Amino acid sequence: MPLHVPLAPAPALRSVLTALGSPTAVREARTPSLRAAQGPATPELPLPVHVVDEITPAGVSATRLTGWRFLIHCGERAVAAAETRLTPDGWAFSHFFEGPYIASTERALRQAEAIQQPYQPRLLSFPRLYMLTLWLHGDCRADGAAGHPDATDILIPLAPAPPGIVSHLPHRVAELLPVLTLRATPAPLPPLPPVPPLLGSPA
């Protein structure tokens, strides 16, 4: 089933195209694959990046948009990604990067395309758990920059996933959030031992 990729803000896309067209920006990026790429590099598959700052026992309290991520393709494969961020002057290019999340994102998107239901793809980050997921939102007409995970949405953990979480195993939000809630909630401290009475004081 085709994914309904949300439209990125035009200034965000322009900022990435400008950076790709700048030899200095590409040369100074810590992305050997991008610097060594042969042929034109194009930004594709824009994904809004949402962050979960806190998980409560009732679920995700809120998400916030931190940027838009573009996969940079050269030929048939993604060689890097470009991150954009919102500034007081509007959307601006932030940086290029590469690493395991690039291939993992592509793999998760292929998984999503095989699901017999349309979804809007997003990225959802859980910084406290060092975890990034592909978030498949069921409302394909929604604004990709807004909203929060619904119980029936799907999360696909990207690799590397935290210990105990299987990467690329899709979960309904209602199934995965209780597990993440336990991981994100600090364990209660053990009770303090009783204080012995002072010498000479009544027992």
mmCIF file of all heavy atoms in Angstrom, residues 114-147:
data_model
loop_
_atom_site.group_PDB
_atom_site.id
_atom_site.type_symbol
_atom_site.label_atom_id
_atom_site.label_comp_id
_atom_site.label_asym_id
_atom_site.label_seq_id
_atom_site.Cartn_x
_atom_site.Cartn_y
_atom_site.Cartn_z
ATOM 1 N N ALA A 114 4.393 -2.600 2.691
ATOM 2 C CA ALA A 114 3.812 -3.938 2.544
ATOM 3 C C ALA A 114 2.564 -4.129 3.396
ATOM 4 O O ALA A 114 1.871 -5.135 3.249
ATOM 5 C CB ALA A 114 4.852 -4.990 2.920
ATOM 6 N N ILE A 115 2.279 -3.175 4.277
ATOM 7 C CA ILE A 115 1.093 -3.278 5.125
ATOM 8 C C ILE A 115 -0.141 -2.915 4.296
ATOM 9 O O ILE A 115 -0.142 -1.926 3.556
ATOM 10 C CB ILE A 115 1.208 -2.352 6.345
ATOM 11 C CG1 ILE A 115 2.419 -2.763 7.204
ATOM 12 C CG2 ILE A 115 -0.069 -2.389 7.190
ATOM 13 C CD1 ILE A 115 2.682 -1.837 8.365
ATOM 14 N N GLN A 116 -1.178 -3.684 4.421
ATOM 15 C CA GLN A 116 -2.382 -3.470 3.606
ATOM 16 C C GLN A 116 -3.283 -2.390 4.207
ATOM 17 O O GLN A 116 -4.464 -2.596 4.438
ATOM 18 C CB GLN A 116 -3.152 -4.787 3.466
ATOM 19 C CG GLN A 116 -2.384 -5.870 2.746
ATOM 20 C CD GLN A 116 -1.966 -5.427 1.339
ATOM 21 O OE1 GLN A 116 -2.779 -4.928 0.568
ATOM 22 N NE2 GLN A 116 -0.688 -5.610 1.011
ATOM 23 N N GLN A 117 -2.704 -1.249 4.470
ATOM 24 C CA GLN A 117 -3.469 -0.109 4.975
ATOM 25 C C GLN A 117 -2.636 1.145 4.736
ATOM 26 O O GLN A 117 -1.417 1.120 4.939
ATOM 27 C CB GLN A 117 -3.762 -0.272 6.467
ATOM 28 C CG GLN A 117 -4.621 0.844 7.051
ATOM 29 C CD GLN A 117 -4.971 0.584 8.509
ATOM 30 O OE1 GLN A 117 -4.941 -0.554 8.982
ATOM 31 N NE2 GLN A 117 -5.317 1.631 9.230
ATOM 32 N N PRO A 118 -3.256 2.227 4.300
ATOM 33 C CA PRO A 118 -2.481 3.448 4.068
ATOM 34 C C PRO A 118 -2.077 4.118 5.382
ATOM 35 O O PRO A 118 -2.849 4.126 6.352
ATOM 36 C CB PRO A 118 -3.438 4.328 3.261
ATOM 37 C CG PRO A 118 -4.801 3.853 3.643
ATOM 38 C CD PRO A 118 -4.672 2.387 3.904
ATOM 39 N N TYR A 119 -0.879 4.656 5.413
ATOM 40 C CA TYR A 119 -0.389 5.364 6.589
ATOM 41 C C TYR A 119 0.399 6.586 6.155
ATOM 42 O O TYR A 119 0.901 6.667 5.038
ATOM 43 C CB TYR A 119 0.528 4.471 7.441
ATOM 44 C CG TYR A 119 -0.186 3.434 8.265
ATOM 45 C CD1 TYR A 119 -0.202 2.104 7.863
ATOM 46 C CD2 TYR A 119 -0.826 3.779 9.451
ATOM 47 C CE1 TYR A 119 -0.850 1.132 8.617
ATOM 48 C CE2 TYR A 119 -1.480 2.815 10.210
ATOM 49 C CZ TYR A 119 -1.489 1.505 9.795
ATOM 50 O OH TYR A 119 -2.134 0.549 10.546
ATOM 51 N N GLN A 120 0.512 7.531 7.081
ATOM 52 C CA GLN A 120 1.387 8.688 6.882
ATOM 53 C C GLN A 120 2.654 8.449 7.704
ATOM 54 O O GLN A 120 2.586 8.327 8.924
ATOM 55 C CB GLN A 120 0.703 9.974 7.353
ATOM 56 C CG GLN A 120 1.541 11.226 7.137
ATOM 57 C CD GLN A 120 0.935 12.439 7.846
ATOM 58 O OE1 GLN A 120 1.142 12.634 9.031
ATOM 59 N NE2 GLN A 120 0.153 13.235 7.105
ATOM 60 N N PRO A 121 3.825 8.348 7.062
ATOM 61 C CA PRO A 121 5.054 8.064 7.811
ATOM 62 C C PRO A 121 5.628 9.313 8.479
ATOM 63 O O PRO A 121 5.645 10.398 7.907
ATOM 64 C CB PRO A 121 5.997 7.525 6.735
ATOM 65 C CG PRO A 121 5.551 8.222 5.480
ATOM 66 C CD PRO A 121 4.062 8.403 5.611
ATOM 67 N N ARG A 122 6.093 9.111 9.691
ATOM 68 C CA ARG A 122 6.781 10.143 10.463
ATOM 69 C C ARG A 122 7.900 9.459 11.244
ATOM 70 O O ARG A 122 7.965 8.241 11.282
ATOM 71 C CB ARG A 122 5.821 10.828 11.450
ATOM 72 C CG ARG A 122 4.527 11.348 10.841
ATOM 73 C CD ARG A 122 3.579 11.815 11.930
ATOM 74 N NE ARG A 122 2.372 12.448 11.385
ATOM 75 C CZ ARG A 122 1.528 13.167 12.112
ATOM 76 N NH1 ARG A 122 1.733 13.316 13.411
ATOM 77 N NH2 ARG A 122 0.470 13.726 11.556
ATOM 78 N N LEU A 123 8.734 10.253 11.882
ATOM 79 C CA LEU A 123 9.719 9.718 12.810
ATOM 80 C C LEU A 123 9.354 10.164 14.217
ATOM 81 O O LEU A 123 8.963 11.318 14.429
ATOM 82 C CB LEU A 123 11.130 10.197 12.458
ATOM 83 C CG LEU A 123 11.712 9.654 11.143
ATOM 84 C CD1 LEU A 123 13.023 10.348 10.822
ATOM 85 C CD2 LEU A 123 11.908 8.151 11.209
ATOM 86 N N LEU A 124 9.465 9.238 15.167
ATOM 87 C CA LEU A 124 9.152 9.545 16.564
ATOM 88 C C LEU A 124 10.344 9.117 17.416
ATOM 89 O O LEU A 124 10.735 7.947 17.414
ATOM 90 C CB LEU A 124 7.889 8.816 17.005
ATOM 91 C CG LEU A 124 7.360 9.147 18.410
ATOM 92 C CD1 LEU A 124 6.995 10.628 18.516
ATOM 93 C CD2 LEU A 124 6.151 8.286 18.739
ATOM 94 N N SER A 125 10.926 10.083 18.128
ATOM 95 C CA SER A 125 12.122 9.845 18.922
ATOM 96 C C SER A 125 11.781 9.839 20.410
ATOM 97 O O SER A 125 10.989 10.653 20.884
ATOM 98 C CB SER A 125 13.164 10.941 18.628
ATOM 99 O OG SER A 125 14.260 10.847 19.509
ATOM 100 N N PHE A 126 12.403 8.892 21.119
ATOM 101 C CA PHE A 126 12.295 8.812 22.573
ATOM 102 C C PHE A 126 13.699 9.024 23.151
ATOM 103 O O PHE A 126 14.424 8.056 23.408
ATOM 104 C CB PHE A 126 11.756 7.438 23.005
ATOM 105 C CG PHE A 126 10.378 7.128 22.502
ATOM 106 C CD1 PHE A 126 10.186 6.614 21.221
ATOM 107 C CD2 PHE A 126 9.259 7.335 23.298
ATOM 108 C CE1 PHE A 126 8.911 6.309 20.762
ATOM 109 C CE2 PHE A 126 7.982 7.028 22.838
ATOM 110 C CZ PHE A 126 7.810 6.518 21.570
ATOM 111 N N PRO A 127 14.109 10.271 23.343
ATOM 112 C CA PRO A 127 15.504 10.543 23.752
ATOM 113 C C PRO A 127 15.901 9.862 25.048
ATOM 114 O O PRO A 127 17.042 9.407 25.186
ATOM 115 C CB PRO A 127 15.537 12.069 23.886
ATOM 116 C CG PRO A 127 14.408 12.565 23.049
ATOM 117 C CD PRO A 127 13.351 11.522 23.138
ATOM 118 N N ARG A 128 14.987 9.775 26.016
ATOM 119 C CA ARG A 128 15.344 9.175 27.294
ATOM 120 C C ARG A 128 15.671 7.686 27.149
ATOM 121 O O ARG A 128 16.367 7.115 27.986
ATOM 122 C CB ARG A 128 14.213 9.364 28.309
ATOM 123 C CG ARG A 128 14.028 10.798 28.763
ATOM 124 C CD ARG A 128 12.934 10.901 29.813
ATOM 125 N NE ARG A 128 13.236 10.106 30.994
ATOM 126 C CZ ARG A 128 12.408 9.969 32.018
ATOM 127 N NH1 ARG A 128 11.222 10.559 31.992
ATOM 128 N NH2 ARG A 128 12.745 9.240 33.067
ATOM 129 N N LEU A 129 15.154 7.066 26.107
ATOM 130 C CA LEU A 129 15.397 5.643 25.876
ATOM 131 C C LEU A 129 16.417 5.404 24.754
ATOM 132 O O LEU A 129 16.697 4.257 24.419
ATOM 133 C CB LEU A 129 14.089 4.937 25.512
ATOM 134 C CG LEU A 129 12.967 5.016 26.554
ATOM 135 C CD1 LEU A 129 11.699 4.377 26.013
ATOM 136 C CD2 LEU A 129 13.394 4.337 27.842
ATOM 137 N N TYR A 130 16.944 6.496 24.175
ATOM 138 C CA TYR A 130 17.860 6.386 23.028
ATOM 139 C C TYR A 130 17.218 5.533 21.941
ATOM 140 O O TYR A 130 17.817 4.579 21.418
ATOM 141 C CB TYR A 130 19.207 5.792 23.453
ATOM 142 C CG TYR A 130 19.904 6.608 24.505
ATOM 143 C CD1 TYR A 130 19.824 6.266 25.853
ATOM 144 C CD2 TYR A 130 20.629 7.752 24.161
ATOM 145 C CE1 TYR A 130 20.445 7.031 26.834
ATOM 146 C CE2 TYR A 130 21.260 8.524 25.128
ATOM 147 C CZ TYR A 130 21.159 8.153 26.462
ATOM 148 O OH TYR A 130 21.767 8.917 27.426
ATOM 149 N N MET A 131 15.993 5.898 21.577
ATOM 150 C CA MET A 131 15.204 5.079 20.657
ATOM 151 C C MET A 131 14.557 5.958 19.594
ATOM 152 O O MET A 131 14.001 7.020 19.897
ATOM 153 C CB MET A 131 14.137 4.319 21.455
ATOM 154 C CG MET A 131 13.223 3.437 20.621
ATOM 155 S SD MET A 131 12.075 2.551 21.716
ATOM 156 C CE MET A 131 11.083 1.681 20.496
ATOM 157 N N LEU A 132 14.650 5.506 18.346
ATOM 158 C CA LEU A 132 13.996 6.183 17.227
ATOM 159 C C LEU A 132 13.096 5.180 16.526
ATOM 160 O O LEU A 132 13.489 4.031 16.298
ATOM 161 C CB LEU A 132 15.039 6.731 16.251
ATOM 162 C CG LEU A 132 14.495 7.512 15.046
ATOM 163 C CD1 LEU A 132 13.788 8.789 15.487
ATOM 164 C CD2 LEU A 132 15.634 7.852 14.077
ATOM 165 N N THR A 133 11.891 5.621 16.193
ATOM 166 C CA THR A 133 10.934 4.730 15.533
ATOM 167 C C THR A 133 10.364 5.395 14.286
ATOM 168 O O THR A 133 10.314 6.627 14.190
ATOM 169 C CB THR A 133 9.753 4.374 16.462
ATOM 170 O OG1 THR A 133 8.981 5.566 16.732
ATOM 171 C CG2 THR A 133 10.233 3.791 17.775
ATOM 172 N N LEU A 134 9.953 4.545 13.340
ATOM 173 C CA LEU A 134 9.128 5.022 12.238
ATOM 174 C C LEU A 134 7.692 4.980 12.733
ATOM 175 O O LEU A 134 7.185 3.926 13.132
ATOM 176 C CB LEU A 134 9.290 4.154 10.999
ATOM 177 C CG LEU A 134 8.452 4.592 9.785
ATOM 178 C CD1 LEU A 134 8.934 5.927 9.238
ATOM 179 C CD2 LEU A 134 8.488 3.530 8.688
ATOM 180 N N TRP A 135 7.043 6.120 12.745
ATOM 181 C CA TRP A 135 5.674 6.260 13.261
ATOM 182 C C TRP A 135 4.735 6.285 12.065
ATOM 183 O O TRP A 135 4.801 7.181 11.226
ATOM 184 C CB TRP A 135 5.602 7.533 14.099
ATOM 185 C CG TRP A 135 4.237 8.024 14.472
ATOM 186 C CD1 TRP A 135 3.063 7.342 14.436
ATOM 187 C CD2 TRP A 135 3.917 9.330 14.967
ATOM 188 N NE1 TRP A 135 2.031 8.137 14.867
ATOM 189 C CE2 TRP A 135 2.522 9.355 15.206
ATOM 190 C CE3 TRP A 135 4.665 10.482 15.228
ATOM 191 C CZ2 TRP A 135 1.865 10.497 15.678
ATOM 192 C CZ3 TRP A 135 4.020 11.614 15.701
ATOM 193 C CH2 TRP A 135 2.641 11.610 15.932
ATOM 194 N N LEU A 136 3.870 5.297 11.997
ATOM 195 C CA LEU A 136 2.886 5.213 10.919
ATOM 196 C C LEU A 136 1.550 5.713 11.461
ATOM 197 O O LEU A 136 0.876 5.020 12.235
ATOM 198 C CB LEU A 136 2.776 3.775 10.411
ATOM 199 C CG LEU A 136 4.081 3.169 9.879
ATOM 200 C CD1 LEU A 136 3.865 1.728 9.444
ATOM 201 C CD2 LEU A 136 4.650 4.003 8.736
ATOM 202 N N HIS A 137 1.187 6.917 11.048
ATOM 203 C CA HIS A 137 -0.026 7.576 11.538
ATOM 204 C C HIS A 137 -1.198 7.211 10.635
ATOM 205 O O HIS A 137 -1.107 7.269 9.408
ATOM 206 C CB HIS A 137 0.195 9.084 11.561
ATOM 207 C CG HIS A 137 -0.874 9.844 12.276
ATOM 208 N ND1 HIS A 137 -1.379 9.481 13.505
ATOM 209 C CD2 HIS A 137 -1.542 10.985 11.932
ATOM 210 C CE1 HIS A 137 -2.301 10.345 13.890
ATOM 211 N NE2 HIS A 137 -2.419 11.257 12.949
ATOM 212 N N GLY A 138 -2.311 6.831 11.264
ATOM 213 C CA GLY A 138 -3.447 6.342 10.492
ATOM 214 C C GLY A 138 -4.208 7.404 9.731
ATOM 215 O O GLY A 138 -4.873 7.097 8.735
ATOM 216 N N ASP A 139 -4.123 8.670 10.142
ATOM 217 C CA ASP A 139 -4.829 9.751 9.449
ATOM 218 C C ASP A 139 -3.904 10.325 8.383
ATOM 219 O O ASP A 139 -3.059 11.176 8.664
ATOM 220 C CB ASP A 139 -5.255 10.824 10.449
ATOM 221 C CG ASP A 139 -6.094 11.925 9.809
ATOM 222 O OD1 ASP A 139 -6.321 11.868 8.577
ATOM 223 O OD2 ASP A 139 -6.534 12.845 10.527
ATOM 224 N N CYS A 140 -4.076 9.867 7.153
ATOM 225 C CA CYS A 140 -3.174 10.277 6.067
ATOM 226 C C CYS A 140 -3.362 11.729 5.655
ATOM 227 O O CYS A 140 -2.507 12.298 4.978
ATOM 228 C CB CYS A 140 -3.372 9.365 4.854
ATOM 229 S SG CYS A 140 -2.968 7.640 5.171
ATOM 230 N N ARG A 141 -4.485 12.340 6.033
ATOM 231 C CA ARG A 141 -4.742 13.737 5.662
ATOM 232 C C ARG A 141 -4.302 14.714 6.745
ATOM 233 O O ARG A 141 -4.451 15.921 6.588
ATOM 234 C CB ARG A 141 -6.229 13.922 5.376
ATOM 235 C CG ARG A 141 -6.739 13.127 4.171
ATOM 236 C CD ARG A 141 -8.236 13.220 4.033
ATOM 237 N NE ARG A 141 -8.925 12.607 5.181
ATOM 238 C CZ ARG A 141 -10.232 12.573 5.356
ATOM 239 N NH1 ARG A 141 -11.017 13.140 4.456
ATOM 240 N NH2 ARG A 141 -10.759 11.998 6.416
ATOM 241 N N ALA A 142 -3.760 14.193 7.845
ATOM 242 C CA ALA A 142 -3.364 15.049 8.952
ATOM 243 C C ALA A 142 -2.152 15.896 8.588
ATOM 244 O O ALA A 142 -1.368 15.548 7.693
ATOM 245 C CB ALA A 142 -3.056 14.198 10.182
ATOM 246 N N ASP A 143 -2.003 16.989 9.304
ATOM 247 C CA ASP A 143 -0.814 17.818 9.173
ATOM 248 C C ASP A 143 0.357 17.042 9.771
ATOM 249 O O ASP A 143 0.347 16.703 10.955
ATOM 250 C CB ASP A 143 -1.026 19.133 9.921
ATOM 251 C CG ASP A 143 0.179 20.063 9.858
ATOM 252 O OD1 ASP A 143 1.197 19.687 9.242
ATOM 253 O OD2 ASP A 143 0.106 21.167 10.429
ATOM 254 N N GLY A 144 1.364 16.736 8.968
ATOM 255 C CA GLY A 144 2.486 15.943 9.446
ATOM 256 C C GLY A 144 3.264 16.582 10.572
ATOM 257 O O GLY A 144 4.005 15.897 11.275
ATOM 258 N N ALA A 145 3.097 17.887 10.743
ATOM 259 C CA ALA A 145 3.838 18.601 11.774
ATOM 260 C C ALA A 145 3.105 18.634 13.107
ATOM 261 O O ALA A 145 3.627 19.189 14.079
ATOM 262 C CB ALA A 145 4.127 20.032 11.314
ATOM 263 N N ALA A 146 1.927 18.056 13.193
ATOM 264 C CA ALA A 146 1.128 18.170 14.412
ATOM 265 C C ALA A 146 0.560 16.802 14.787
ATOM 266 O O ALA A 146 0.654 15.835 14.031
ATOM 267 C CB ALA A 146 -0.001 19.181 14.218
ATOM 268 N N GLY A 147 -0.052 16.750 15.958
ATOM 269 C CA GLY A 147 -0.726 15.536 16.387
ATOM 270 C C GLY A 147 0.106 14.696 17.331
ATOM 271 O O GLY A 147 1.268 15.001 17.625
#
